Amino acid sequence: MFENSSKTELKEFGEFGLIAHLTQAVELTQPSTVTGIGDDAAVLNFKDKQVLISTDLLLENVHFDLRYVPLKHLGYKAVQVNLSDIYAMNGIASQVTISMGLSSKFPLEAVEEIYEGALLACKNYNVDLVGGDTSSSAQGLVLSVTSIGHADSDKVVYRSGAQVNDLLCVSGDLGGSYVGLQLLEREKKIFLENPDIKPDLEGKDYILERQLKPEARKDIIQLLADLAIIPHAMIDISDGLASEILHICGNSKVGCKLYEEKIPIDQMTYDTAREFGLDPTVCALSGGEDYELLFTVPQDAYDKLKNQMDISIIGHITDANEGCQMISKSGKVHEIKAQGWNAFSKKD
Amino acid sequence: MFENSSKTELKEFGEFGLIAHLTQAVELTQPSTVTGIGDDAAVLNFKDKQVLISTDLLLENVHFDLRYVPLKHLGYKAVQVNLSDIYAMNGIASQVTISMGLSSKFPLEAVEEIYEGALLACKNYNVDLVGGDTSSSAQGLVLSVTSIGHADSDKVVYRSGAQVNDLLCVSGDLGGSYVGLQLLEREKKIFLENPDIKPDLEGKDYILERQLKPEARKDIIQLLADLAIIPHAMIDISDGLASEILHICGNSKVGCKLYEEKIPIDQMTYDTAREFGLDPTVCALSGGEDYELLFTVPQDAYDKLKNQMDISIIGHITDANEGCQMISKSGKVHEIKAQGWNAFSKKD
């Protein structure tokens, strides 16, 4: 993987040397960061705000495949995925910690790339890198990210707040990340069978970026604030629309009606799904990794939202005993079931 | 490893089912916990306190060997090791998140044991488990713990605050964890060569517990508060006394004189080190994983500390240009060097 680049073995550094080297470029910009890397713990100050904490573990050959994921993208995505959880609480992300476990196949240059991607994400999203841990790993790459954010206590949005008659809304478009992954998996297979064939990914930038370099929807949180809308319930879409709808409905003890025709699917996602013989709606419902925001708002927010290009109203909340239903394009009623990603049925 | 116990495969559960199952026993007791597990992020409220965040990554066959580490102890230790960092800031630990990556060799019962140990640590140390992530792992067990604590802003103690003439103090005794590890490694070797020989660990409970079930020194933080002592600098001993002294002196831009004869070493640690042909002082200086607290206090704290059985005054802080010196039992002067644990030179 790293054959052509210059190599510096990590053991030449030692843990402290590596941390010192990697964190040279870290700049602290957040007023809430009192002290970052370099002591037993980071010190933060949120005054009268509530503090939000979320953590994710990313493991090689479970969550990512280094045969097609560039390391810089991996570092970027690891941070994004985690920030997305803070935004899903209607919070402002302000700090992250990043821990890495590295096997001996990774030279310094590889670690630098991961870090470079992570720091770019921090810069773009205005968060400080304030801690972490680095270690060798017996096999494979391990990334663990914890993100920290804050919000006024009356603005934190839970999964459990959806109310009957709320509008069900989603940002951006869905299914692209999953279809992008199918494309990468196909090209990997072809490459493994015949390394002389170059990958055919031309013109597929959008869905590849959805998979390799997703962006957490900080802009939607800002937009909602500008529109003076506080959602009743919110969650980010990491496991697929169906799974997240069921989380909101389950936690809020409500039902919902979702209209298939309203689910936002990009044209490239649609066409490429069809190429693979996949139903684009199923990709949106069960694909996951879109990192869009799913939220419910009171009906009177309709006028504010109806012309927002980047927000789709896809259904509404009903009484719990009506269940969670999808009305298909042909008018049939289906019960929504989660067929999202099961981290324990894959590759173990 | 789990041949004799009943097995439930993790994939029968799925991620959400597993989380729901494991977190049944979680109780929230901290006033600063607003919401724990079950949403995109935990919600905490520290009012006017500063917030402390620390994170550790623990990897199978790097940080622990499941051939002799019981899973419940592993869960307990993973939490302790991380809480220790919060206490080392003179803070009060109040929450943890625990992420686990699990290969298919681990049945549900194994995961339950890890969790049981982690929850016991939470209970004993009065902290809430508020989040985490679970996933399959392609190989081996991965644990990532983040701990969260708080302190008044004028009570946070950094590594960088040591002043010339401060007394250098350490809690408990040192080197035991490292000597306990040597014992476990020896018995593992014997067992691997001849599985019929039973491990000979009798009478070695203390040093085995130091390795397998360390306790973070929350009690020392309480004792210092009761004595109205705020240390000038503090760090916990994870990499060995020498390495931690150099961290404090380096960050504080001071030197020190450490007296070998003052280093607290338990009799069993001493005798067992000798059995192994090891110098007990070297075990204390470079062994690590003692999770005791190393701190400096102004000279006028001497009277308050001199009769505290669990605190040893082992030297004092000097001007930076005097360097970091250890005065040996025979009166020779040695420069203190870090030979602590290098996570990148082992087993990779």
Side-chain angles (χ1 to χ4, degrees):
Chain A
M1 178 171 37
F2 309 110
E3 288 73 5
N4 298 319
S5 54
S6 72
K7 276 190 194 182
T8 311
E9 283 203 50
L10 287 178
K11 58 185 167 193
E12 293 171 27
F13 271 81
E15 184 180 348
F16 301 127
L18 179 64
I19 293 170
H21 176 81
L22 291 174
T23 57
Q24 279 167 23
V26 172
E27 282 175 42
L28 301 178
T29 63
Q30 295 304 299
S32 53
T33 306
V34 180
T35 309
I37 292 163
D39 218 300
D40 295 288
V43 183
L44 313 176
N45 192 341
F46 295 98
K47 295 179 181 155
D48 53 350
K49 305 281 185 185
Q50 292 199 326
V51 180
L52 308 168
I53 307 266
S54 181
T55 191
D56 277 313
L57 193 60
L58 294 166
L59 304 174
E60 186 176 346
N61 295 331
V62 177
H63 299 94
F64 55 89
D65 186 332
L66 290 177
R67 281 170 291 193
Y68 54 71
V69 177
L71 291 167
K72 191 173 167 185
H73 285 67
L74 179 63
Y76 192 88
K77 181 171 175 176
V79 172
Q80 292 299 332
V81 165
N82 211 237
L83 296 182
S84 181
D85 283 318
I86 301 296
Y87 300 131
M89 303 297 289
N90 202 32
I92 296 163
S94 45
Q95 287 88 11
V96 291
T97 67
I98 300 171
S99 296
M100 290 193 277
L102 302 150
S103 66
S104 57
K105 77 175 176 188
F106 295 96
L108 176 68
E109 290 72 16
V111 186
E112 284 174 335
E113 275 184 55
I114 297 170
Y115 227 73
E116 205 185 319
L119 284 176
L120 181 62
C122 289
K123 196 179 167 207
N124 289 355
Y125 284 74
N126 215 13
V127 305
D128 289 345
L129 175 62
V130 296
D133 194 9
T134 58
S135 166
S136 67
S137 136
Q139 189 154 346
L141 176 61
V142 176
L143 285 176
S144 177
V145 179
T146 297
S147 58
I148 302 126
H150 54 91
D152 291 325
S153 62
D154 56 351
K155 291 192 181 133
V156 175
V157 177
Y158 296 91
R159 297 176 178 180
S160 56
Q163 295 175 21
V164 175
N165 294 327
D166 273 3
L167 303 174
L168 184 64
C169 307
V170 71
S171 66
D173 56 74
L174 303 177
S177 181
Y178 180 75
V179 177
L181 181 63
Q182 303 317 305
L183 206 59
L184 289 165
E185 288 282 350
R186 182 186 70 188
E187 296 305 315
K188 180 181 85 177
K189 225 172 184 174
I190 293 171
F191 177 81
L192 290 176
E193 281 164 13
N194 186 347
D196 293 331
I197 299 178
K198 282 200 175 165
D200 177 22
L201 300 168
E202 217 179 281
K204 300 291 190 183
D205 292 4
Y206 179 69
I207 56 175
L208 292 172
E209 286 216 349
R210 294 291 288 168
Q211 169 58 221
L212 294 174
K213 194 169 169 288
E215 302 283 347
R217 299 308 304 261
K218 182 187 183 186
D219 57 331
I220 296 292
I221 299 307
Q222 187 58 51
L223 175 66
L224 291 171
D226 292 345
L227 295 172
I229 294 174
I230 299 177
H232 282 165
M234 188 152 55
I235 190 169
D236 72 324
I237 299 184
S238 51
D239 297 309
L241 179 62
S243 171
E244 316 306 353
I245 285 181
L246 293 177
H247 278 306
I248 283 189
C249 289
N251 288 26
S252 302
K253 299 187 175 58
V254 295
C256 76
K257 277 203 165 58
L258 165 70
Y259 295 90
E260 183 186 7
E261 62 182 351
K262 303 285 189 189
I263 299 173
I265 297 176
D266 175 80
Q267 192 64 45
M268 191 190 295
T269 302
Y270 191 94
D271 294 344
T272 315
R274 287 293 181 207
E275 269 180 48
F276 278 95
L278 296 169
D279 179 342
T281 299
V282 172
C283 295
L285 286 171
S286 303
E289 290 210 279
D290 289 311
Y291 301 106
E292 296 295 342
L293 294 170
L294 176 72
F295 54 97
T296 81
V297 296
Q299 290 227 343
D300 60 18
Y302 177 77
D303 283 340
K304 289 180 184 171
L305 290 178
K306 65 181 178 188
N307 294 323
Q308 294 298 332
M309 296 294 292
D310 217 13
I311 292 175
S312 304
I313 300 169
I314 57 175
H316 61 269
I317 299 298
T318 62
D319 196 82
N321 59 30
E322 295 186 46
C324 295
Q325 300 179 335
M326 184 176 81
I327 318 302
S328 76
K329 288 174 185 171
S330 62
K332 280 190 189 150
V333 176
H334 301 268
E335 190 195 341
I336 297 173
K337 287 184 184 164
Q339 295 173 335
W341 203 76
N342 178 347
F344 293 104
S345 63
K346 277 195 181 176
K347 308 207 183 189
D348 58 345
Chain B
M1 176 171 40
F2 308 110
E3 289 74 4
N4 299 319
S5 53
S6 72
K7 277 190 194 181
T8 310
E9 283 202 51
L10 288 178
K11 58 184 165 191
E12 294 171 27
F13 270 82
E15 184 180 349
F16 301 127
L18 179 64
I19 293 170
H21 176 82
L22 291 174
T23 57
Q24 278 167 24
V26 171
E27 284 175 40
L28 301 178
T29 62
Q30 296 303 300
S32 53
T33 306
V34 180
T35 309
I37 292 163
D39 217 302
D40 295 288
V43 183
L44 313 176
N45 192 341
F46 295 99
K47 294 178 182 157
D48 53 349
K49 306 278 185 186
Q50 291 199 327
V51 180
L52 308 168
I53 307 267
S54 181
T55 191
D56 276 314
L57 193 59
L58 295 165
L59 304 174
E60 185 175 347
N61 295 331
V62 177
H63 300 96
F64 56 88
D65 186 332
L66 290 177
R67 281 171 292 195
Y68 54 71
V69 177
L71 290 168
K72 190 174 167 183
H73 285 68
L74 178 64
Y76 192 88
K77 183 170 174 174
V79 172
Q80 292 300 331
V81 164
N82 211 236
L83 296 182
S84 182
D85 283 318
I86 300 296
Y87 300 130
M89 303 298 289
N90 201 33
I92 297 163
S94 45
Q95 288 88 11
V96 291
T97 67
I98 301 172
S99 296
M100 290 193 278
L102 302 151
S103 67
S104 57
K105 77 175 176 188
F106 295 96
L108 176 68
E109 290 72 17
V111 186
E112 284 175 336
E113 276 185 54
I114 297 170
Y115 227 73
E116 204 185 321
L119 284 177
L120 181 62
C122 289
K123 195 178 168 205
N124 289 353
Y125 285 73
N126 214 13
V127 304
D128 288 346
L129 176 63
V130 295
D133 194 8
T134 59
S135 167
S136 67
S137 134
Q139 190 155 346
L141 177 60
V142 175
L143 285 176
S144 177
V145 179
T146 296
S147 58
I148 302 127
H150 54 92
D152 290 326
S153 62
D154 57 351
K155 290 191 180 135
V156 175
V157 176
Y158 295 91
R159 297 176 178 181
S160 56
Q163 296 175 21
V164 175
N165 293 327
D166 273 3
L167 302 174
L168 184 65
C169 306
V170 71
S171 65
D173 57 75
L174 302 178
S177 180
Y178 180 77
V179 178
L181 181 63
Q182 303 317 305
L183 206 58
L184 289 165
E185 287 281 351
R186 182 185 72 189
E187 296 305 316
K188 179 181 85 176
K189 224 172 184 174
I190 292 171
F191 177 81
L192 290 176
E193 282 163 12
N194 186 348
D196 293 332
I197 299 178
K198 282 202 176 165
D200 177 22
L201 299 168
E202 216 180 281
K204 300 290 192 185
D205 292 4
Y206 179 68
I207 56 175
L208 292 173
E209 286 217 349
R210 294 293 286 170
Q211 169 59 221
L212 293 175
K213 195 171 170 287
E215 301 283 348
R217 298 309 304 260
K218 182 187 183 184
D219 58 331
I220 296 292
I221 298 307
Q222 188 57 53
L223 175 66
L224 291 171
D226 292 346
L227 295 171
I229 294 174
I230 299 177
H232 281 165
M234 187 151 57
I235 190 170
D236 72 323
I237 299 184
S238 50
D239 297 309
L241 179 62
S243 171
E244 314 306 354
I245 285 180
L246 293 177
H247 277 307
I248 283 188
C249 289
N251 287 26
S252 302
K253 299 186 174 59
V254 295
C256 77
K257 276 204 165 57
L258 165 70
Y259 295 90
E260 182 186 7
E261 62 182 351
K262 302 286 189 189
I263 299 173
I265 296 176
D266 174 80
Q267 193 63 45
M268 190 190 296
T269 302
Y270 191 94
D271 294 344
T272 314
R274 286 292 182 209
E275 270 179 47
F276 278 95
L278 296 168
D279 179 341
T281 299
V282 172
C283 294
L285 286 171
S286 304
E289 289 210 281
D290 289 311
Y291 301 105
E292 296 294 342
L293 294 170
L294 175 73
F295 54 97
T296 82
V297 295
Q299 290 228 343
D300 60 19
Y302 178 76
D303 283 339
K304 290 180 184 172
L305 289 178
K306 67 181 179 191
N307 294 323
Q308 294 299 333
M309 296 294 292
D310 217 12
I311 292 175
S312 304
I313 300 168
I314 58 175
H316 61 268
I317 299 299
T318 63
D319 196 81
N321 59 31
E322 293 185 48
C324 294
Q325 300 181 334
M326 184 176 81
I327 319 302
S328 76
K329 287 174 185 169
S330 62
K332 279 190 190 150
V333 176
H334 302 269
E335 190 195 342
I336 297 173
K337 286 183 185 164
Q339 295 173 336
W341 203 75
N342 178 348
F344 293 104
S345 63
K346 278 193 180 177
K347 308 204 182 191
D348 58 348

